[in-house]
Structure formats: C-alpha cells, structure tokens
Amino acid sequence: MSRPPPPSGRPGSGGSPFHHGSHRHLLAAGRTSAPLGRVDALVVPTARRSAALRHVAGLARALAVPLVALCSRWANAEAAARAADAAGAALLAIDVPEARSMALPALATTDLLADTKFERRTDVSAKRNLGLLIARMVGWRRIVFLDDDITVADRGDLLRAARLLDVYDGVGLSIGGFPDNSVVCHAHRRTGGYQETFIGGGALAVDPVRTTSFFPDIYNDDWFYLLDDKRLRRVAVTGRAFQAPYDPFAHPDRARAEELGDVLAEGVYSLLDVGGTVRQADRAFWVGFLGRRRRFIDDVTRRVERCPDTPERHRMTLSLKAAYGRLQFITPDLCADYLHAWLADRTRWRRFARRLPTPVRLEQALTLAGLESREIVVRRMGAGGHGYHKLYQSSSYLGVRDEWTTSGSLGHS
C-alpha cells in the first residue's frame, strides 16, 4: 500500500484532515445487561505508593478473588500487603525485577530499540507479560488487568466483562473520567479536535490460557496486544471505568517517550479503520503516514498558538515541540522494521507460552517465571472468610505449596 487511508474525523466536530479521531467502531458492544461471569484475579501493575491500591483491593475483596500486585519503583510487596490487609483482600504481591532477570523470552522489538532514543524507560509491559504468564500457569482463565489509577464503580461491570470472554478474546471497560490518550491527542482535544478514547490495559479482561498474545515494550503496548497477525482480534467494550486526572503536559519527556508508539499504533489502526490489515503497513505506507503525522502535529500546534496565553498553553507548546522533534527521527524503515520484528515476536511468544505447563501450583509458576530471589507476599482469606491471615513472606517460597488449592487459586477457603 503506497498511500495511507483517509482520516475518519466526524463531520462538524473538529475532525482533523490528518488524523483518525476514533477507532471505536472497530469494537463490538457488549450488552450492559449481559449475564454475570466469574473473575479469577485482578492483576495490577503498580508503581505508586500503597494508597493507590486501596480501591482495587476493595474490589478484590468484594469479588472474593486475589489481587495480584506487580510492584516496582514506589510500590513494594510489603506495602501492598498492608493495603490488602486493610481491605481484607487475598493477595499475591511481587517485587518485580528487571525484565532481563525474569524468564521471559527475548523479544526482537525490544532489541531493535535497545540503546536508542526510543528505548522505553518504564516496566509496565514487562509486568503485564509477567501477569499473563503466572495466570496462564496457575490456570486462571478470566483475569482483569487494572491500572492503579483506575476506579470501577460497579463491580458487576467486571463480572460482565469476564462472562463476555466466552465469546471475545478481550473485553475492555469504557474509560471515563479523565481521557486516556497520548499527549498529542490530548492537545488535539483541548484545541477543539474530535478525539475519543479506545479500550486498553487500564481495564481489560483477557483469557491468558486461550490467547497467546503479549505486550511489546512500547507505548500503546495494549493496542498491539489486541491484534493478531492481520487485524484486531474479537474484542468488545462493556461497562465503565474512571481514569484519575493527571497533567499530560507536565513534562515534554512524556510526549517524546510516547511518539514512536503513538505513530505505530495510530498508523496500524488507521488501516484497520478502512478494512486494511497490519501486513499492509509496509515502507510505502509509512512514508505517507509519517508525512500526515507531521502535518497533524503542525495543525494542533497552530491551534494551540491561537489559545489564550496561559501556563497550560506554554506546557502544551513545549510538549508538541518535543513530540515533533522526536518524530523527525522516526523513519519509514524503522516503522516497517518494528512491525516485522513484532510479527516475529508474536510467533516467538506463542511458542514460549504453549510450552509452559498449566495448571500448576503457584510455587512452580513463580519458579518458572524466574522469581526465586524476589520478595513475594501471599495472603488469603481465612476459613469461612472471617479474618485475614498473612501466610507467607520470604525471598524463598517453598512453604507456599500447602496454602494454595489444587487449581492454583487464591481466596476464600
């Protein structure tokens, strides 16, 4: 394909001629009155202090399922245990090491960006992949990924999403509250542009046994998780979650870090919007798309310059300049090479996942994940659900064996 598809802006609503403001028509709509299902675990990649886990710990307690807290930076397993203890929730908390210290497969997409300005500095993808592997090995079929700044008002929405996994490969909650977009798309919206949100890893139900996709180490990793080799997998949206507010323009580095992942994901999904496939995103396609991306950022920047002179306008301008500067280093060859590497990684990950034993006890799952030397906390509800007992905390977890059920589940006795 030598030319990018036309944008799909909504007439009369600030649609940009250089940008697709929505991809939501790609999603099936799960019925809000759908029957309730069963959730096996809530998986939270967390980097904030333990107070950020209070809400999700309460959800885990209400659903009688374990909270799997994958901790790094300001989060740690012991603090997660205190949050779970206060809520009376079952818990598996792990201080997650660097990705190369875990038994995750080497990925060509990661190697392609290593030691370049595009190398990602966060570990959220590695934590999500670790959550997939642990869940797959212990036999959990219905897990929900939740970010630690997401609120779910109706826990029934999680149960409905889990039930829809009977039909779909992934079910996301519609994210309300503060919009969950890239920095450039936030600026587009703030200046009158038509910009919707999509589903993603912030609130996403998946079956890690049936589905063998993975999260590449790049911004918009969840958009790539939802794809197969050609197009979007069977994916639906139901219910509602709420994103806590944040300042997307607080530092220009955020826009720099997002730009490559935003270009790749928006480019691929613009093809899907018009019935194309991932494999049509060849070098010729990226020549056209990158030109359109430059015009899009120019367009948004001009609109920002017409806004009242405020501190936010100044921050938006700096962020857009940072994104545009990073865009100058993104070439058609890099984009085509990344997708080629990603397709190879899909095969590599699928073969790796299918070799893992399932179901196994937690002890074996953690060993196979390469976590022997990490701080790990396991807690479960006491008999009859009365009281909450700390069962295990150690850098060695041989004692876990007798505390888990034969299916590997954690929760009420």
Side-chain angles (χ1 to χ4, degrees):
M1 176 173 285
S2 59
R3 300 173 63 184
S8 57
R10 188 174 62 187
S13 61
S16 169
F18 311 115
H19 175 66
H20 288 208
S22 176
H23 309 291
R24 291 182 71 89
H25 64 282
L26 298 172
L27 301 170
R31 292 183 294 112
T32 56
S33 59
L36 302 183
R38 182 193 76 253
V39 173
D40 290 328
L42 303 181
V43 180
V44 182
T46 181
R48 294 178 174 88
R49 302 192 187 281
S50 60
L53 293 176
R54 289 173 184 166
H55 172 71
V56 72
L59 283 176
R61 176 64 181 88
L63 294 170
V65 302
L67 165 61
V68 180
L70 304 174
C71 308
S72 64
R73 298 187 70 186
W74 293 285
N76 62 76
E78 180 61 23
R82 291 194 292 270
D85 192 37
L91 174 75
L92 168 61
I94 301 171
D95 287 337
V96 177
E98 294 183 354
R100 62 175 177 265
S101 301
M102 295 184 284
L104 301 175
L107 298 175
T109 45
T110 301
D111 292 342
L112 180 66
L113 304 183
D115 300 321
T116 74
K117 56 177 52 68
F118 300 108
E119 183 176 9
R120 202 177 187 196
R121 307 299 179 185
T122 70
D123 62 355
V124 65
S125 299
K127 288 191 283 193
R128 285 172 174 165
N129 287 333
L130 176 62
L132 288 174
L133 294 185
I134 293 174
R136 180 181 178 84
M137 286 188 282
V138 299
W140 288 331
R141 301 298 304 267
R142 302 166 190 265
I143 67 170
V144 179
F145 283 106
L146 288 173
D147 283 351
D148 59 11
D149 58 352
I150 289 288
T151 300
V152 179
D154 180 2
R155 65 178 183 269
D157 286 341
L158 299 176
L159 298 173
R160 280 181 280 273
R163 179 63 177 268
L164 287 168
L165 290 175
D166 290 344
V167 179
Y168 298 100
D169 296 319
V171 182
L173 271 60
S174 181
I175 305 294
F178 193 79
D180 185 20
N181 294 116
S182 69
V183 172
V184 171
C185 290
H186 271 294
H188 176 53
R189 176 189 288 105
R190 296 284 182 91
T191 55
Y194 168 51
Q195 183 64 59
E196 289 193 338
T197 59
F198 200 62
I199 64 170
L204 182 67
V206 303
D207 178 349
V209 176
R210 185 180 73 230
T211 303
T212 55
S213 192
F214 76 104
F215 295 90
D217 194 14
I218 197 168
Y219 178 70
N220 278 329
D221 60 334
D222 42 5
W223 285 27
F224 281 97
Y225 174 85
L226 296 172
L227 298 173
D228 62 21
D229 290 351
K230 294 182 179 180
R231 52 182 58 87
L232 194 67
R233 290 186 284 120
R234 295 174 300 169
V235 178
V237 59
T238 190
R240 195 164 180 82
F242 296 88
Q243 166 75 56
Y246 63 91
D247 183 0
F249 314 113
H251 200 288
D253 281 347
R254 186 185 190 108
R256 290 190 188 94
E258 291 177 352
E259 186 61 14
L260 177 60
D262 211 29
V263 164
L264 289 166
E266 291 288 356
V268 167
Y269 275 68
S270 73
L271 279 169
L272 304 184
D273 286 337
V274 295
T277 70
V278 175
R279 294 180 183 273
Q280 290 177 282
D282 56 14
R283 186 185 185 282
F285 167 81
W286 290 112
V287 170
F289 185 83
L290 289 173
R292 201 171 79 211
R293 178 73 176 189
R294 285 189 288 271
R295 293 191 291 274
F296 174 52
I297 297 179
D298 281 338
D299 181 33
V300 177
T301 300
R302 284 192 292 270
R303 282 186 268 136
V304 169
E305 290 170 350
R306 295 195 293 268
C307 292
D309 187 6
T310 63
E312 183 180 69
R313 190 189 83 169
H314 179 66
R315 295 197 304 275
M316 277 197 288
T317 299
L318 291 178
S319 292
L320 288 168
K321 286 182 177 179
Y324 193 87
R326 184 52 52 88
L327 180 61
Q328 305 315 301
F329 294 94
I330 301 175
T331 66
D333 285 333
L334 174 60
C335 295
D337 288 347
Y338 188 91
L339 284 188
H340 180 77
W342 173 74
L343 287 168
D345 282 345
R346 280 184 51 79
T347 299
R348 183 176 295 109
W349 186 274
R350 183 166 56 247
R351 290 173 177 169
F352 169 79
R354 287 176 176 172
R355 288 196 300 267
L356 295 172
T358 183
V360 299
R361 293 183 181 275
L362 177 66
E363 176 190 2
Q364 185 178 357
L366 298 178
T367 298
L368 291 171
L371 296 169
E372 294 96 334
S373 62
R374 308 312 300 172
E375 185 72 7
I376 298 170
V377 178
V378 176
R379 294 169 178 263
R380 105 179 228 197
M381 294 299 298
H386 301 295
Y388 190 73
H389 308 288
K390 181 175 176 180
L391 295 178
Y392 191 76
Q393 178 184 356
S394 175
S395 60
S396 171
Y397 41 78
L398 297 178
V400 173
R401 180 183 299 110
D402 295 332
E403 309 298 350
W404 286 63
T405 69
T406 56
S407 66
S409 63
L410 180 93
H412 293 280
S413 298

